[in-house]
Amino acid sequence: MKYQNTQTTAHTNIAFIKYWGKKNAQLNLPCTDSLSLTLDGYFTTTTSKFISDNEDQIWLNGQRAPASFFKRTQKFLDLCRQLNHCKQKIQVITTNHVPTAAGLASSASGFAALAGSLNKLFQMHLSRAQLSCLARRGSGSAARSIYGGWVWWQHGSSDQTSLAVPIDEHPQLPICLLSVVFNDQPKKIFSTQGMERARTTSPFYSCWPHIVASDLSAMKQAIATADLQQIGQIAENNCLAMHALNWSARPAFSYFTDATWKLIHLLQQWRHESQLVAYATIDAGPNVKIITQQNQVQQIQARVQHSFPQAQTTILYPGPGIQ
Ligand code: PMV
């Protein structure tokens, strides 16, 4: 077979309207739409090739992948083999340029890059819309990392219709995020388990689709008018509503620590007392991403470092789709 360049790079993304709950776990079909911003700077690069070994070979950051990573990746390879009626084993070489200190999940960029690389390896010639569906099967949020900038994942009703679409791949508004990673990390409840418990046991879950629909429409309007304060406020409201599902689950759980709450309160104070644009969004962990504007981020970073000397902070800008 002739040499093929299968190298693909995909960037991480952060949801401003959260995905929290699956209506079909096998296909990763979400209960609701979601909306995210793809970020610059942090990405995954993946290459793949067919090998004649008896086992798949999966490398992560220059080493054999740990068991959990191997299993999840192999499941995705099996899916692509099945779609292409192929039995051949595959070597995957993946490098995550997503430092743990940045507090970002690498599964979105990871499965988007893997889907892109396997699309080339199997010569599937998938469109970006079809790639979004494929990436979704690896990790829901990966569906959105196919595109740059603002991305809307439409929940859809089937494997072919649950996909992301770009809203604005090159946002002009001066938005940026400050990621704040606290040092004491509590035990992790993986997003799949957390969202499933919330979906099946929170008495408020039936409100969630209505909250998302109304936040999404307000968010699109705020993006269209480049209203950064509105974008931040809607994102923070939506994030807190998502976490309220976890606090009301049975048994209840929380990703927040004291530091998470302290920073949320400080942001409220800085907004009111210093007229700063600073809103929180938080995923399946205690760390906070502060939504702010580019000419205020240094001031906010200094304030955060002052209040949390142990925290690690990173500035993140809008980024591109897969390459
Ligand atoms: O893609 P997953 O299964 O890791 O879930 C992502 C869940 C959140 O990050 C909390 C929200 C989101 O929309 O990205």
Side-chain angles (χ1 to χ4, degrees), residues 177-233:
L177 270 73
L178 180 71
S179 158
V180 182
V181 176
F182 301 115
N183 265 359
D184 342 307
Q185 305 295 323
K187 201 157 172 253
K188 204 168 152 69
I189 299 174
F190 290 111
S191 53
T192 297
Q193 296 161 257
M195 63 176 81
E196 186 58 6
R197 195 192 298 173
R199 185 185 71 82
T200 53
T201 69
S202 167
F204 302 136
Y205 196 83
S206 58
C207 301
W208 178 240
H210 304 288
I211 295 171
V212 170
S214 114
D215 288 348
L216 184 67
S217 120
M219 181 64 87
K220 284 189 199 153
Q221 178 69 24
I223 291 172
T225 55
D227 187 339
L228 199 45
Q229 290 201 11
Q230 267 298 101
I231 291 172
Q233 186 64 69

Side-chain angles (χ1 to χ4, degrees), residues 14-29:
I14 288 292
F16 280 52
I17 302 291
K18 304 291 185 192
Y19 146 54
W20 202 242
K22 307 180 197 224
K23 65 181 172 213
N24 180 322
Q26 199 218 336
L27 296 175
N28 267 349
L29 300 184

Side-chain angles (χ1 to χ4, degrees), residues 1-14:
M1 183 175 285
K2 76 175 178 21
Y3 172 76
Q4 270 172 292
N5 182 7
T6 62
Q7 183 169 316
T8 305
T9 293
H11 288 69
T12 54
N13 73 73
I14 288 292

Side-chain angles (χ1 to χ4, degrees), residues 86-280:
C86 165
K87 291 211 153 69
Q88 212 172 333
K89 299 298 177 195
I90 296 170
Q91 180 193 63
V92 174
I93 299 180
T94 189
T95 311
N96 263 339
H97 301 270
V98 188
T100 22
L104 296 165
S106 53
S107 66
S109 55
F111 279 103
L114 183 61
S117 178
L118 295 174
N119 180 36
K120 294 174 191 162
L121 180 70
F122 285 101
Q123 301 187 356
M124 291 190 266
H125 308 293
L126 300 180
S127 64
R128 291 207 295 174
Q130 290 167 318
L131 260 186
S132 173
C133 290
L134 182 62
R136 188 202 74 234
R137 297 288 296 270
S139 172
S141 51
R144 300 185 305 236
S145 272
I146 300 300
Y147 299 101
W150 294 113
V151 184
W152 169 24
W153 174 14
Q154 304 175 336
H155 69 280
S157 55
S158 66
D159 195 17
Q160 291 77 31
T161 56
S162 182
L163 50 86
V165 295
I167 294 184
D168 178 0
E169 289 221 71
H170 305 284
Q172 293 303 308
L173 84 172
I175 192 170
C176 70
L177 270 73
L178 180 71
S179 158
V180 182
V181 176
F182 301 115
N183 265 359
D184 342 307
Q185 305 295 323
K187 201 157 172 253
K188 204 168 152 69
I189 299 174
F190 290 111
S191 53
T192 297
Q193 296 161 257
M195 63 176 81
E196 186 58 6
R197 195 192 298 173
R199 185 185 71 82
T200 53
T201 69
S202 167
F204 302 136
Y205 196 83
S206 58
C207 301
W208 178 240
H210 304 288
I211 295 171
V212 170
S214 114
D215 288 348
L216 184 67
S217 120
M219 181 64 87
K220 284 189 199 153
Q221 178 69 24
I223 291 172
T225 55
D227 187 339
L228 199 45
Q229 290 201 11
Q230 267 298 101
I231 291 172
Q233 186 64 69
I234 300 162
E236 186 176 290
N237 291 345
N238 182 267
C239 152
L240 293 176
M242 173 201 127
H243 287 278
L245 300 173
N246 307 334
W247 307 324
S248 56
R250 298 172 185 189
F253 63 102
S254 176
Y255 290 109
F256 288 21
T257 58
D258 291 351
T260 315
W261 280 119
K262 182 176 164 194
L263 183 50
I264 290 172
H265 290 142
L266 279 172
L267 295 180
Q268 278 170 358
Q269 202 181 312
W270 298 343
R271 292 202 293 263
H272 293 136
E273 289 168 13
S274 314
Q275 278 71 51
L276 288 172
V277 176
Y279 297 89

